[in-house]
Amino acid sequence: MEKLTIHILLVEDSASDAYLLHRIFLHAHQEQWEMLHVERLSEAIEASRDSTSTLDNSQIVSRSQRRFDLVLLDLSLPDSIGLDTLKEFQAAVPDIPVVVLTGLDDEDLALQALAEGAQDYLVKDQITIQRLVRAIRYAIERSEILNQVRESEERTRQALAKEQELNELKSNFVAMVSHEFRTPMTTIRTAVEILEYNNDKLTNDRRTKYFDRVQNAINQMLHLLDEILFLSKTEVTKLEYNPTLLNLENFCNELIDILQLNAGSQHSIVFTFQGESTQAQMDEDLLNCILTNLISNAIKYSPQNHTIWFDLICKDRLATFQVRDQGMGIPLKDQTRLFQTFYRASNVGVIQGTGLGLTIVKKCVELHGGHIQLESEPNVGTTVTVTLPLQ
Ligand code: ATP
Ligand code: MG
């Protein structure tokens, strides 16, 4: 069986002690060793950090990600003395197991080091091959187990946070549904009552107005139901991503025709296209959902007679969709939370909405492996940019 190489960092300022350990390692044939020797604590920290510097602080570093499997640490070094040496090293490099090297008269210090988290200690004058190999093996194994426990704790913590988030979502959902459905229901009930009891007295114009109100309220509820259904698909089952070959320019032109028809003459949508290729591999329904939501927002949150700009640029294997308006904009404090379910900016006033559109957009963008960016200034306007890979 192939032997696994064990990488050791020896931190020892005494040349003779270091030489002794080298000799012992040379004779320890059960394992394969590789050792780096440094004399100062600062050098030890720097050498250990090299391999893990790209990792996030919260990540648990596995053995394969570390440069060293173990550190043999003398506590008396030129730049640090005693227990502080261990504390400082562990604070800087928390994931590497440490075996402390002490002198004969330092038994107390060794015990304190164990209490501080060292895996073991070796008394320099008493080191034998067997003791050294055993201490190193046990230390590595113990630290692996500790890492696994930490990883499992981290997973449990994440699962709990997810559950908490879901609970929050549920209570938000109940509050929102009772509010968002109650308003159109009340509108319908009032309109129907007026139509039922005052039908003879109503002019044709008034009658049409009440029927329109009923229609609007029903549409509002249907829209809400569609959004909720869509979101539950992304949460409960997996939302399907079915890319097909699309001519993006034609796709956008057709979409704009429909949206312009809905917007009527109160807003004009100006579409421009730049780029070499218009062919893309994307999911038609999801793309439709992204662009419809963004353009509908631009219309909804802009005063009448304002233009909405919609630009498509296909370049460097990316499609960039940009929707720009000169509407009410979004206060800075709200901007980071707009992609959360049900979140609406503080300046929406009486403009209706459920705060689900952008959450849905973000999910659709992620399914395409793209990203979304929003820039906005109150009373100046909003620009949303979605970048998706063409293939
Ligand atoms: P719906 O779920 O019906 O789309 P909504 O429009 O309120 O409701 P989102 O589309 O998710 O929800 O948008 C979230 C919030 O972001 C909006 O409530 C609004 O405050 C703000 N917002 C989004 N787009 C714009 C825009 N173009 N201009 C100004 N505010 C915007
Ligand atoms: Mg919206």
Side-chain angles (χ1 to χ4, degrees):
M1 212 169 70
E2 201 189 327
K3 285 185 200 168
L4 224 69
T5 306
I6 297 180
H7 300 268
I8 308 264
L9 173 65
L10 172 63
V11 193
E12 170 63 80
D13 65 328
S14 148
S16 56
D17 287 346
Y19 176 73
L20 207 74
L21 276 158
H22 263 296
R23 304 275 322 156
I24 294 177
F25 274 116
L26 277 181
H27 291 98
H29 293 303
Q30 300 106 304
E31 317 280 345
Q32 207 154 318
W33 311 95
E34 233 178 74
M35 189 161 80
L36 176 75
H37 171 213
V38 295
E39 293 182 357
R40 305 173 74 88
L41 178 63
S42 53
E43 291 167 344
I45 291 174
E46 202 175 318
S48 316
R49 269 180 172 169
D50 276 356
S51 52
T52 56
S53 59
T54 53
L55 295 168
D56 187 272
N57 267 348
S58 62
Q59 277 177 284
I60 290 162
V61 180
S62 77
R63 203 178 149 191
S64 60
Q65 289 168 297
R66 294 191 308 239
R67 185 167 166 203
F68 300 107
D69 300 308
L70 182 115
V71 176
L72 288 175
L73 182 68
D74 181 9
L75 294 183
S76 306
L77 299 170
D79 55 347
S80 178
I81 295 279
L83 221 49
D84 284 346
T85 311
L86 174 68
K87 286 185 192 166
E88 214 176 302
F89 182 82
Q90 287 188 321
V93 196
D95 290 292
I96 304 184
V98 178
V99 170
V100 163
L101 298 172
T102 60
L104 260 181
D105 50 349
D106 272 348
E107 195 81 20
D108 274 355
L109 185 64
L111 292 174
Q112 286 177 48
L114 290 184
E116 282 296 331
Q119 291 292 341
D120 207 342
Y121 69 92
L122 288 166
V123 180
K124 283 187 200 169
D125 295 341
Q126 298 173 351
I127 298 176
T128 61
I129 294 178
Q130 287 78 8
R131 272 190 197 158
L132 180 73
V133 172
R134 201 184 51 200
I136 289 176
R137 272 213 211 126
Y138 284 3
I140 292 175
E141 267 168 36
R142 264 197 301 268
S143 131
E144 286 290 294
I145 292 170
L146 211 69
N147 253 356
Q148 281 166 13
V149 171
R150 266 197 253 160
E151 263 175 55
S152 126
E153 269 174 9
E154 176 62 20
R155 275 198 296 274
T156 314
R157 203 190 55 73
Q158 282 175 4
L160 271 174
K162 179 94 195 149
E163 190 168 323
Q164 215 165 1
E165 199 181 300
L166 275 175
N167 277 341
E168 213 168 287
L169 201 77
K170 270 188 217 153
S171 42
N172 275 347
F173 175 72
V174 173
M176 186 279 309
V177 166
S178 41
H179 177 256
E180 292 300 326
F181 277 95
R182 194 168 273 280
T183 316
M185 293 276 203
T186 314
T187 309
I188 294 172
R189 194 176 57 194
T190 316
V192 168
E193 276 170 6
I194 293 172
L195 285 167
E196 191 178 2
Y197 298 114
N198 300 310
N199 198 17
D200 315 338
K201 295 177 217 145
L202 292 175
T203 61
N204 271 345
D205 269 4
R206 298 285 295 171
R207 213 173 284 132
T208 313
K209 197 175 132 197
Y210 287 118
F211 277 120
D212 281 352
R213 275 196 196 164
V214 172
Q215 281 284 7
N216 279 340
I218 291 173
N219 286 341
Q220 208 180 312
M221 287 194 290
L222 285 177
H223 171 71
L224 179 60
L225 274 178
D226 281 345
E227 285 190 327
I228 290 170
L229 216 67
F230 192 99
L231 266 183
S232 74
K233 268 195 216 158
T234 68
E235 299 291 341
V236 184
T237 55
K238 265 248 164 283
L239 186 64
E240 283 194 25
Y241 167 63
N242 295 318
T244 52
L245 197 65
L246 287 182
N247 179 317
L248 276 190
E249 192 183 2
N250 291 349
F251 179 87
C252 291
N253 270 318
E254 281 165 24
L255 182 73
I256 296 300
D257 285 346
I258 298 171
L259 292 175
Q260 183 66 74
L261 208 68
N262 287 340
S265 57
Q266 290 165 355
H267 291 94
S268 58
I269 308 168
V270 177
F271 173 58
T272 70
F273 168 76
Q274 276 179 53
E276 306 102 33
S277 164
T278 61
Q279 295 299 322
Q281 196 79 32
M282 291 179 191
D283 184 307
E284 211 170 316
D285 290 339
L286 301 185
L287 184 61
N288 188 32
C289 173
I290 295 173
L291 299 175
T292 305
N293 265 300
L294 296 184
I295 296 170
S296 305
N297 276 351
I299 294 172
K300 183 159 74 165
Y301 299 107
S302 296
Q304 290 183 6
N305 302 320
H306 274 58
T307 303
I308 311 300
W309 284 274
F310 173 37
D311 304 326
L312 166 64
I313 304 162
C314 294
K315 212 174 99 185
D316 301 332
R317 295 202 224 149
L318 290 176
T320 306
F321 304 88
Q322 194 163 68
V323 178
R324 221 158 10 107
D325 65 60
Q326 290 177 317
M328 64 199 296
I330 304 162
L332 195 63
K333 67 177 166 64
D334 297 316
Q335 287 181 18
T336 50
R337 300 185 61 191
L338 296 177
F339 297 101
Q340 290 173 9
T341 25
F342 306 122
Y343 194 85
R344 305 197 69 213
S346 46
N347 61 340
V348 288
V350 294
I351 303 174
Q352 277 174 355
T354 48
L356 289 178
L358 287 181
T359 314
I360 291 174
V361 167
K362 189 152 187 263
K363 299 225 183 238
C364 297
V365 169
E366 281 164 1
L367 275 172
H368 278 90
H371 61 263
I372 181 163
Q373 194 197 345
L374 184 142
E375 278 169 69
S376 186
E377 201 179 321
N379 305 317
V380 176
T382 303
T383 303
V384 184
T385 310
V386 167
T387 312
L388 306 181
L390 277 169
Q391 298 301 326

